[in-house]
Amino acid sequence: QVQVVESGGGLVQAGGTLRLSCAASGSAFSIDAMGWYRQAPGKQRELVAIIAKGGSTNYPDSVKGRFTISRDNAKNTVYLQMNSLKPEDTAIYYCYVRYTGLIYWGQGTQVTVSS
């Protein structure tokens, strides 16, 4: 069974930076895709960034140019570098892992951006 653990959330001021990490353990082979989703109060969970094993990435317009996703395939770890944070980025951020056709989620890490 794959276990997914996030870290790096916290409270920052608008314009600040934050770096999230997510490690997937328990898999015998490398992860197919990893990424980040977020969910703010009153809203549905939305894609923040995703990266495939080959390195291709996808970002929505809301974070494009500010967030950068990367991964270490050997460690099955994904990172999210968040720059120029806005109060609208406040949400619980969930790590997303796709492995052998199944999807796994982390428990979430809170990101709060103050005005």
Side-chain angles (χ1 to χ4, degrees):
Q1 184 177 358
V2 175
Q3 297 182 8
V4 183
V5 180
E6 309 102 327
S7 63
L11 173 64
V12 298
Q13 294 182 351
T17 65
L18 204 61
R19 187 171 186 262
L20 306 182
S21 299
C22 173
S25 62
S27 61
F29 302 97
S30 61
I31 304 297
D32 296 326
M34 301 183 72
W36 295 91
Y37 285 71
R38 68 186 181 187
Q39 187 167 21
K43 296 184 177 181
Q44 293 186 329
R45 191 171 299 186
E46 64 176 355
L47 174 69
V48 177
I50 192 166
I51 183 169
K53 183 179 180 180
S56 62
T57 59
N58 185 39
Y59 306 90
D61 291 339
S62 59
V63 308
K64 191 174 298 183
R66 300 188 297 120
F67 292 6
T68 302
I69 189 170
S70 61
R71 65 183 290 174
D72 185 334
N73 290 331
K75 297 181 179 180
N76 285 330
T77 301
V78 64
Y79 307 93
L80 184 67
Q81 179 68 41
M82 302 185 291
N83 299 326
S84 301
L85 282 164
K86 305 175 181 179
E88 302 87 84
D89 296 319
T90 296
I92 301 175
Y93 284 68
Y94 297 91
C95 184
Y96 165 94
V97 175
R98 181 183 295 161
Y99 176 66
T100 63
L102 300 177
I103 297 173
Y104 301 85
W105 295 97
Q107 293 185 353
T109 183
Q110 177 70 46
V111 172
T112 302
V113 184
S114 62
S115 301

